[in-house]
Amino acid sequence: MAEQASFIGSVQHTPDTIQRLYKTEYYTYDTLHILSRFLFGGALIAAALILELPRPVQILLLLAGCWLIISKDFPAAVRADQVLDNRKAALPLHICSFFEDRVELSGEGSMKLAYPKFQRLIEDEQYLYLFLGRQSVCMVEKDGVEGGSPEELKAFVARLTGLSWQRNRSLLTMNLADLRQALRDRRAR
């Protein structure tokens, strides 16, 4: 008799889910890049307002600074668009089966993963993201969880990974622990 999974989660990828996935990865692993874009944009705006420069140069500096600040996830959107443009086949349905000792992934291929291999657990209002690393993630739609509620799945995964679930932080809610983690991520590359 085949072993039954404790929970099953899935996501049918669409262009929207691919965009969300890449943005979540970017916010999770590129905090320093986001912060540096913000600071550089602020420096350009300050230079435009403070320095005695010709009006066209001031306008260009203001525009560039504003664009850097408001387009903080632009690199993630570009990468997602490239993936979608390069994709020849239909977008896959990925299924994650959660057992007591492993997670089994199936979709375009299949693999078995031990819980200690997961690095980060991130959630937003619609999805759960179990990151194995920068470009490897299990994405699960909260509404499609079988075997229990999304909260029960989160507790199950947190217990087996030893990690806690987080939401991506904005620059306004960033703290020293987030900055330390961003520095560790930068060194790990």
Side-chain angles (χ1 to χ4, degrees), residues 86 101-102 108 113 118 125 131 147 171 174 177 181 183:
N86 293 335
D101 62 337
R102 70 192 181 285
E108 294 178 306
L113 302 164
F118 289 98
E125 54 282 338
F131 282 95
L171 291 176
M174 186 180 215
Q181 183 62 52
L183 290 170

Side-chain angles (χ1 to χ4, degrees), residues 59-166:
I59 291 170
L60 287 174
L61 289 176
L62 284 170
L63 289 173
C66 290
W67 184 81
L68 284 170
I69 289 173
I70 64 170
S71 67
K72 63 183 180 285
D73 58 9
F74 180 73
V78 169
R79 285 198 337 239
D81 286 343
Q82 287 171 342
V83 166
L84 291 168
D85 289 345
N86 293 335
R87 182 119 184 122
K88 303 294 185 231
L91 293 170
L93 168 68
H94 283 153
I95 299 171
C96 301
S97 301
F98 297 89
F99 297 88
E100 279 293 326
D101 62 337
R102 70 192 181 285
V103 177
E104 291 185 5
L105 306 176
S106 59
E108 294 178 306
S110 63
M111 67 172 64
K112 296 178 184 180
L113 302 164
Y115 286 101
K117 293 202 180 271
F118 289 98
Q119 293 180 354
R120 304 242 175 90
L121 305 176
I122 305 291
E123 72 170 309
D124 63 23
E125 54 282 338
Q126 285 186 286
Y127 299 97
L128 302 174
Y129 306 86
L130 294 83
F131 282 95
L132 292 156
R134 182 170 180 81
Q135 295 183 353
S136 185
V137 64
C138 302
M139 184 177 178
V140 172
E141 189 170 6
K142 286 181 178 180
D143 289 342
V145 172
E146 298 174 25
S149 70
E151 291 303 316
E152 291 170 323
L153 173 59
K154 285 173 49 183
F156 179 82
V157 170
R159 176 177 59 86
L160 294 172
T161 61
L163 301 170
S164 59
W165 287 92
Q166 300 174 340

